[in-house]
Amino acid sequence: MPSASKIRRTQSRAEKFTPHKTDFSAAPGARHGHAEGSSRTGTAESRPQESDSDSEDSDARPAAHSHGSLLQSLATGRHHGHKRKKRKLSNSVARDTLIESETRAVPTNGERDNNGIEDGMKAVEAVDNGLSTDDNVVDPFAGADEEVVDDPFEIHFANPDEDDLARKLEAVKQRKWSHDRIQREFANGKEQASLLRARPTSVADVSSLTHGTVRSISDLKIKKRLLDPASTHMPSLDEIQSNLVPTVFGYQDLLFTARTPTNARSLRDMTCLHLLNHIFKTRDRIIKNTSKVSREGQQAESEFRDQGFTRPKVLILLETRQAVVRYLDAITSLCSPEQQENRQRFRDAFDGGEATLPDTKPNDFRELFEGNEDNDFRLGVKFTRKTIKYYSQFYTSDIIIASPLGLRRAMKIDDAKRSDYDFLSSIEMLVLDQTEAMLMQNWEHVEYVFDYLNLQPKEPHGCDFSRVRRWYLDGNAKYLRQTIVFSAYETPELAKMYSQDMLNVEGKVKSRVIHNGVLSDVGIPVSQAFHRFQSHDIISDPDARFNAFTSVILPSITRLTSTMAEGQSLGVLLFIPSYFDFTRVRNFFQSSPLVQDLPWGGVSENDSLPLVKRARSHFVSGRYSVLLYTGRAHHFRRYRIRGVKHVMFYGVPDNPHFYSELVGGFLGVTEQEGATAPRDMSVKCLFSKWDRLALERIVGSQRIRKMLGDQSMGDTFEFK
């Protein structure tokens, strides 16, 4: 154990801590539509459903101690504290002895309850930075993996070269990046993708992994205990894994915007293997060094920097509870634990069972909403030598899995006296999956999480500062954190995240997809016209869009009214992606004399089912000539609206499937019913240069340059 004088010298590098009493009890469950910090639009957080987030109430944090008391206890603990005796076990009998000792304490049915056994196993957080007494038992197999010089874990976290790290930090802080394409195009379904990399300027590529050449798990530097179960679960790497593994296992940031229901499992398995490898290497390093300190005592000359401020190292943000089940199923398959504590409790709270959606719903919708779709949750997961424990306290967890809404509730940011976010201070891996679904919620929750990641903690939480890595003490943890983001498509919000929040000194990689477009997927020969309007900046874009609507879309609706035969329905569906714009257009229809003779209705995500049914019924019968329809309503419900003859897009939908579903689906049903021929149908869409990302996914990468850059072609582009 380090001497008191060494600890006092280390204290000068650490931030001064002030005791702060915090109540970290989990917030009670709430309906999605009335969540704290709800969307600025006043819209619902998600589909209406009762939340049972109170099942995570075991996230209470341990009692705090003052910094002075901590130092005193470290200095005197060698003489007065209880120390667990350790026997030096020979390799021939060590494993049997450890198995026997744990079997006596743990039931063999694969499940345990918090009551009884846990009470006897709890230990105060001390110099081992949150490792329990059970964790500190020396594992004779922990040292089986030798420290490899070219292991990315050693290069990036364990033993980074201080001079090299200083150069990287300076370049990143000054936003000096060099950009290159690191990979040839590779297949991603029907489209092609490539990888673009940004590295701190003048930093050489020291990765031992080459993109496109890693074909099996054995090519990776992973813990030997993971090799067999991982090889069984992932016998070979597919093309996407082979191209992304060097980035992920090389500890570079990744923004992959080509996620689909088809490749979701491959991405999930690859990520879970990487995070398990990181957790096990970190844990074994701490245990090994703790054993050395215990043996050397006061004569210890070595300085071990192997920890952060708190134990949690991985944060996974997901949108539904069912997604948590998929991730933990992958984790258990990859590490094959002998015990799973609180497994049944977890299954009851998170697994939606056999609940399925009809085959008529799109694949991405079914993947997101099948099973338990609740989006207010958080869960701590802890690993010991042979056990995975669900519902562990945050400060004793290795992984925290949460929804953005559930994590913000747990942090209690809006309550200054009760706020607690120190458990995010030492996150070294951040994973966001199905990020496009988070964009349909309140994206502000995600931004809050980034704001409070890797901050200096307000309390010590049993931290041994003599073991904390220097870049933690210097406040540089966010520059070594790895961020992995999977999304079905790129948006301006994700582009901003990539630019401002993904600042890894090892570099960052983003996918570049060559889009084919969806114009040919609509399935009917209908005219599709795209109208470009001028917008000088993003702030004035909403006003410019509204002016384009009143000058382009509204006159076309009026002309349709004048040519409509008596007794016919007009059937105009006006799709509005943003709720802000929906509110503006709705108010316009309510008050403007230009549309006072035009009967209309609306369907939004906030409307009750009776209101939605009435609006749809009036529209299909012709009583409503125009139906306003929001993007979030379509995201959460995927209605199949009948009676549509003309589709008008107030803005370009981010999800390209929405375009093909509205044009090919809604107009296709009308054609099948024989109500209107395709030649009498029409599609119009407004766009500006700020819609580039969304528009490219619809019209294709080849057309986008002409539509945005060539002014000589006019402002209207028509496709059939």
Side-chain angles (χ1 to χ4, degrees):
M1 180 173 294
S3 64
S5 60
K6 182 179 291 186
I7 296 173
R8 293 190 186 97
R9 290 196 301 269
T10 307
Q11 182 185 3
S12 62
R13 298 189 183 98
E15 181 178 327
K16 185 176 181 181
F17 290 87
T18 303
H20 180 77
K21 187 174 181 180
T22 306
D23 181 10
F24 190 69
S25 58
R31 297 181 67 90
H32 298 229
H34 303 282
E36 292 181 4
S38 59
S39 172
R40 284 168 290 183
T41 63
T43 59
E45 279 294 338
S46 74
R47 303 176 69 181
Q49 179 178 343
E50 290 292 344
S51 167
D52 57 346
S53 62
D54 56 346
S55 62
E56 284 84 46
D57 282 346
S58 62
D59 292 336
R61 65 173 193 81
H65 303 281
S66 68
H67 192 207
S69 299
L70 172 68
L71 296 177
Q72 183 178 1
S73 66
L74 293 177
T76 61
R78 182 178 299 105
H79 305 290
H80 302 289
H82 291 285
K83 182 183 294 185
R84 181 167 182 156
K85 288 188 177 181
K86 302 180 179 66
R87 289 188 301 157
K88 194 170 184 179
L89 304 177
S90 63
N91 286 342
S92 60
V93 299
R95 190 171 186 83
D96 294 336
T97 304
L98 290 174
I99 292 175
E100 179 182 357
S101 64
E102 183 164 305
T103 304
R104 287 196 296 266
V106 182
T108 59
N109 59 0
E111 300 169 6
R112 296 190 295 180
D113 194 274
N114 271 341
N115 298 327
I117 296 176
E118 182 183 0
D119 294 336
M121 297 181 65
K122 284 184 178 178
V124 178
E125 290 182 328
V127 295
D128 58 350
N129 194 19
L131 293 175
S132 67
T133 313
D134 181 60
D135 294 323
N136 277 331
V137 177
V138 177
D139 187 348
F141 300 95
D145 301 279
E146 297 182 357
E147 297 176 8
V148 183
V149 176
D150 62 346
D151 185 349
F153 175 80
E154 296 289 332
I155 297 173
H156 187 65
F157 280 108
N159 296 301
D161 181 87
E162 292 188 4
D163 293 336
D164 183 51
L165 179 59
R167 289 192 298 270
K168 292 179 180 179
L169 286 170
E170 182 179 2
V172 171
K173 291 178 181 179
Q174 295 179 3
R175 299 296 196 270
K176 294 182 178 179
W177 301 93
S178 60
H179 303 269
D180 64 335
R181 185 187 297 266
I182 61 175
Q183 178 56 38
R184 57 178 174 78
E185 293 182 358
F186 59 93
N188 181 53
K190 297 180 180 180
E191 298 178 326
Q192 296 292 313
S194 60
L195 300 177
L196 306 178
R197 177 174 58 183
R199 289 179 295 170
T201 303
S202 302
V203 174
D205 186 1
V206 297
S207 175
S208 60
L209 302 174
T210 304
H211 290 78
T213 62
V214 182
R215 294 298 178 186
S216 68
I217 299 298
S218 59
D219 295 331
L220 302 174
K221 294 176 174 60
I222 63 174
K223 297 291 292 184
K224 291 183 179 180
R225 75 183 76 172
L226 289 172
L227 188 57
D228 288 341
S231 298
T232 302
H233 188 72
M234 303 168 59
S236 63
L237 301 180
D238 58 30
E239 186 173 12
I240 289 182
Q241 290 174 331
S242 178
N243 284 283
L244 296 183
V245 154
T247 295
V248 173
F249 281 77
Y251 285 97
Q252 296 175 328
D253 288 349
L254 173 64
L255 172 60
F256 186 74
T257 55
R259 183 194 185 279
T260 66
T262 303
N263 63 29
R265 179 175 178 178
S266 295
L267 298 174
R268 182 167 57 244
D269 289 345
M270 173 189 65
T271 304
C272 289
L273 178 60
H274 176 50
L275 66 87
L276 283 173
N277 188 48
H278 179 75
I279 290 172
F280 288 174
K281 285 184 177 180
T282 300
R283 175 182 175 272
D284 289 350
R285 179 66 55 86
I286 293 174
I287 293 175
K288 180 180 178 181
N289 291 341
T290 300
S291 178
K292 290 181 180 179
V293 171
S294 178
R295 289 196 307 267
E296 295 176 5
Q298 291 184 343
Q299 287 74 36
E301 297 181 357
S302 302
E303 184 181 53
F304 300 107
R305 297 285 182 177
D306 53 11
Q307 301 178 10
F309 295 114
T310 55
R311 176 163 178 166
K313 291 294 178 285
V314 177
L315 173 63
I316 304 176
L317 294 181
L318 303 172
E319 189 53 33
T320 66
R321 288 179 180 250
Q322 199 65 41
V324 180
V325 175
R326 299 187 188 108
Y327 261 81
L328 287 176
D329 282 347
I331 287 173
T332 54
S333 297
L334 289 168
C335 68
S336 298
E338 295 184 13
Q339 305 287 340
Q340 296 185 50
E341 187 174 340
N342 297 327
R343 179 178 180 274
Q344 191 58 49
R345 177 186 173 191
F346 164 73
R347 287 287 175 180
D348 292 342
F350 281 79
D351 196 347
E354 300 299 326
T356 58
L357 295 171
D359 294 338
T360 55
K361 297 293 185 181
N363 290 335
D364 62 327
F365 180 84
R366 294 171 59 190
E367 184 200 16
L368 179 60
F369 292 114
E370 274 188 340
N372 192 338
E373 64 182 80
D374 175 54
N375 76 330
D376 185 4
F377 60 86
R378 59 268 192 189
L379 179 72
V381 180
K382 175 182 177 180
F383 294 88
T384 60
R385 288 177 293 113
K386 303 174 183 178
T387 304
I388 291 181
K389 177 182 177 181
Y390 307 111
Y391 294 99
S392 57
Q393 299 175 5
F394 275 5
Y395 285 95
T396 61
S397 299
D398 296 295
I399 302 177
I400 296 175
I401 308 179
S403 64
L405 172 63
L407 188 60
R408 182 173 178 177
R409 284 178 178 271
M411 294 163 66
K412 298 181 175 64
I413 300 172
D414 299 325
D415 188 340
K417 294 183 178 180
R418 301 176 62 198
S419 64
D420 186 10
Y421 43 83
D422 287 352
F423 54 84
L424 299 177
S425 63
S426 302
I427 295 298
E428 295 174 351
M429 286 185 60
L430 170 64
V431 179
L432 290 84
D433 199 357
Q434 290 184 293
T435 316
E436 73 280 359
M438 300 177 192
L439 289 162
M440 282 293 178
Q441 296 284 9
N442 188 349
W443 184 248
E444 192 178 64
H445 296 328
V446 177
E447 294 176 335
Y448 262 87
V449 173
F450 272 95
D451 289 342
Y452 288 89
L453 278 174
N454 301 121
L455 299 181
Q456 296 281 344
K458 298 181 294 184
E459 300 175 8
H461 301 286
C463 175
D464 179 359
F465 298 103
S466 67
R467 298 278 294 272
V468 176
R469 293 186 171 110
R470 297 187 185 279
W471 42 266
Y472 273 112
L473 299 175
D474 295 336
N476 291 321
K478 69 177 182 179
Y479 300 110
L480 284 93
R481 181 191 72 231
Q482 182 183 28
T483 303
I484 301 172
V485 182
F486 298 127
S487 176
Y489 44 80
E490 186 177 0
T491 67
E493 292 87 351
L494 295 183
K496 176 185 175 182
M497 176 193 295
Y498 183 79
S499 174
Q500 299 183 7
D501 297 317
M502 300 171 72
L503 304 174
N504 195 334
V505 294
E506 290 301 318
K508 51 187 177 180
V509 174
K510 66 183 298 186
S511 60
R512 175 72 174 94
V513 181
I514 307 301
H515 295 284
N516 300 324
V518 297
L519 296 180
S520 59
D521 296 340
V522 299
I524 56 175
V526 61
S527 172
Q528 305 171 61
F530 291 80
H531 299 274
R532 180 177 60 192
F533 64 91
Q534 298 301 318
S535 175
H536 300 292
D537 55 70
I538 192 66
I539 297 177
S540 62
D541 188 73
D543 293 333
R545 188 176 302 273
F546 182 76
N547 292 334
F549 166 73
T550 57
S551 61
V552 177
I553 299 295
L554 189 59
S556 65
I557 296 177
T558 305
R559 287 193 297 270
L560 290 172
T561 304
S562 62
T563 60
M564 182 179 62
E566 187 175 354
Q568 284 187 332
S569 61
L570 187 61
V572 174
L573 180 78
L574 180 59
F575 180 82
I576 309 175
S578 167
Y579 190 83
F580 292 105
D581 291 330
F582 172 80
T583 302
R584 184 173 191 173
V585 174
R586 183 185 59 190
N587 293 340
F588 173 79
F589 271 84
Q590 288 175 341
S591 58
S592 175
L594 298 176
V595 291
Q596 62 182 359
D597 297 328
L598 194 64
W600 64 277
V603 173
S604 75
E605 62 274 18
N606 288 333
D607 293 337
S608 63
L609 288 179
L611 288 177
V612 172
K613 289 181 179 179
R614 185 177 65 179
R616 294 176 63 184
S617 176
H618 288 353
F619 181 71
V620 73
S621 67
R623 186 171 178 179
Y624 286 165
S625 297
V626 179
L627 184 67
L628 312 184
Y629 188 41
T630 67
R632 291 190 71 205
H634 192 68
H635 169 75
F636 288 114
R637 301 297 182 185
R638 296 294 175 92
Y639 292 119
R640 295 175 63 87
I641 299 177
R642 297 172 55 237
V644 179
K645 300 177 183 178
H646 308 277
V647 180
M648 310 291 182
F649 289 91
Y650 187 87
V652 184
D654 282 324
N655 191 335
H657 297 305
F658 287 9
Y659 184 89
S660 56
E661 288 166 11
L662 267 63
V663 177
F666 293 180
L667 295 183
V669 170
T670 303
E671 181 192 21
Q672 292 173 5
E673 294 176 347
T676 304
R679 65 176 180 274
D680 297 323
M681 301 177 183
S682 64
V683 177
K684 288 183 171 59
C685 181
L686 296 175
F687 73 93
S688 71
K689 63 181 180 181
W690 308 109
D691 296 318
R692 179 188 180 92
L693 294 173
L695 185 64
E696 182 180 3
R697 292 188 285 270
I698 293 175
V699 302
S701 300
Q702 293 183 349
R703 298 187 180 100
I704 189 66
R705 293 181 181 177
K706 293 182 178 180
M707 295 179 66
L708 291 179
D710 194 346
Q711 301 293 331
S712 63
M713 298 183 64
D715 293 328
T716 301
F717 304 85
E718 187 172 1
F719 307 96
K720 291 186 179 180

